[in-house]
Amino acid sequence: MRLIDGVYSANRERFRLADEAMSAQPQTTSLPGPIPQLDLAAQYAAIGAEIRTAVDRVLASQHFVLGPEGVAFEQEIAQLCGVAHGVGVASGTDALILALRACGVQAGDEVLIPPFTFVATGSAVSALGAKPVFADIRPDTYNLDPSDLARRITPRTRAIIAVHLYGLACDMDPILHFARAHNLPVIEDNAQSIGATYKGRKTGSLGDAACMSFYPTKNLGAYGDAGMVVTNSNEMAGRLKSLRNHGQSAKYVSSEPGWNSRLDEIQAAILRVKLRHLPEWQGARQAHAAAYSKLLLGIPGVAPPLVPDGYEHVFHQYTIRVERRDALLKILSDRKIGSAVYYPVPLHLQPLYVALGYRAGDFPHAEHAAQEVLSLPMFPELRPEQITRVAETVSEFVTH
């Protein structure tokens, strides 16, 4: 398919590593068991002792909010992203809301966002009384199409949210160029792409602020809700720290309305443990993706994920595109293979946004993607024979 031209050449080294890993795996004659779409139990089996030690450390300290674990984790995430500041908050959604407010978004303003994303990207805008205005995606990467921004901007536009979907960065240079020309701040929704790079730069370092989610299913996941905003701006970091803590500028002195949105110490301690393992997990995800793509590339009717030159994809999801997607999802389910659709209903067609007046056909690339994308099993502990079984099931479906 045209959408995947060049994928093999861009991933040649990963395919070689995938071959080595799969050839080294011992063969088994046992009946195949279920393959989950995500297996957090396998992760905990490997690092559970480290997690329990970290939690015990917090329990012994009896310091649970705005303490040393949170401060250290903020510094570590800021360093990972290559920025000056991290501000821990209670969730990825709160990170978006607070970042928008810190960028000056108010009730009645408009914010440009893609329609193909989790609803939190839009509902964070709505939570401030602002209006999400959608711009379509590119059909090959599923990320915001910079060329669609110009016809969506109005005098009320106050910011752009660029979502790095599935683990792949947006094409940020033209987005940033457009934003500078119109004096608009850019917020990266980096919930799914921590560790990804764009032309040698880390996601999280590209816009005016970037928002992280550490929801348990993310590549770096907490044991509950948790989030962070990262930025290079001293002023923005200071305001975010105030906003997350009831707008307080000093103890019991509030300068503006704020939130109770603080990253607690137990989650920070857990995330610090997991952060040490993130490079290893990221490498495993990339090797699994290469193995999938080598098996699926060239099968008519299947489009593996594209990794453009100059990008590093971290594969929060391994998402293919296939016609008769729902039928394939059922076949996989019948064979006890997990899969998921992210996302079946674009934001402009959500019941939440009926009042905005959008209709089917307004954003064709987002709508077609919603009908055809399917995320296959992807987690660091995935085994080569499981990847082969998944790919063979996909191939059998599309070729029969």
Side-chain angles (χ1 to χ4, degrees), residues 266-336:
I266 289 177
Q267 298 299 346
I270 291 168
L271 287 163
R272 292 186 70 202
V273 170
K274 289 191 166 191
L275 183 59
R276 296 197 295 267
H277 296 274
L278 186 61
E280 174 190 351
W281 293 339
Q282 180 172 311
R285 286 175 178 272
Q286 291 168 333
H288 299 335
Y292 268 132
S293 293
K294 187 171 179 63
L295 292 168
L296 295 173
L297 193 65
I299 297 175
V302 178
L306 178 71
V307 184
D309 290 341
Y311 292 64
E312 184 177 8
H313 199 315
V314 294
F315 294 100
H316 171 59
Q317 301 294 339
Y318 184 89
T319 302
I320 64 171
R321 189 164 185 158
V322 60
E323 295 180 1
R324 297 190 298 132
R325 186 268 317 283
D326 292 344
L328 174 56
L329 190 152
K330 184 179 186 306
I331 291 291
L332 291 167
S333 178
D334 290 345
R335 298 189 183 185
K336 296 182 170 54

Side-chain angles (χ1 to χ4, degrees), residues 134-251:
F134 303 110
D136 211 351
I137 61 168
R138 286 180 48 178
D140 53 354
T141 65
Y142 312 118
N143 282 328
L144 185 65
D145 184 350
S147 69
D148 200 39
L149 294 171
R151 66 191 183 111
R152 310 295 180 181
I153 193 171
T154 77
R156 304 186 73 89
T157 304
R158 293 292 180 268
I160 301 170
I161 300 179
V163 181
H164 305 309
L165 198 66
Y166 297 150
L168 180 70
C170 286
D171 188 5
M172 290 297 294
D173 282 348
I175 294 172
L176 293 169
H177 178 78
F178 177 87
R180 284 193 294 267
H182 296 278
N183 195 30
L184 297 173
V186 175
I187 297 170
E188 299 171 70
D189 184 336
N190 201 33
Q192 299 186 7
S193 300
I194 187 169
T197 65
Y198 170 78
K199 299 182 180 180
R201 295 168 283 166
K202 291 281 191 180
T203 55
S205 68
L206 303 166
D208 296 275
C211 300
M212 313 283 183
S213 169
F214 304 115
Y215 186 75
T217 60
K218 296 297 192 288
N219 290 19
L220 181 63
Y223 286 179
D225 278 308
M228 188 173 294
V229 184
V230 296
T231 181
N232 273 315
S233 167
N234 296 337
E235 180 182 358
M236 183 175 293
R239 188 159 185 223
L240 287 164
K241 289 178 181 179
S242 172
L243 288 171
R244 73 176 176 183
N245 194 23
H246 300 285
Q248 293 184 86
S249 54
K251 191 170 185 178

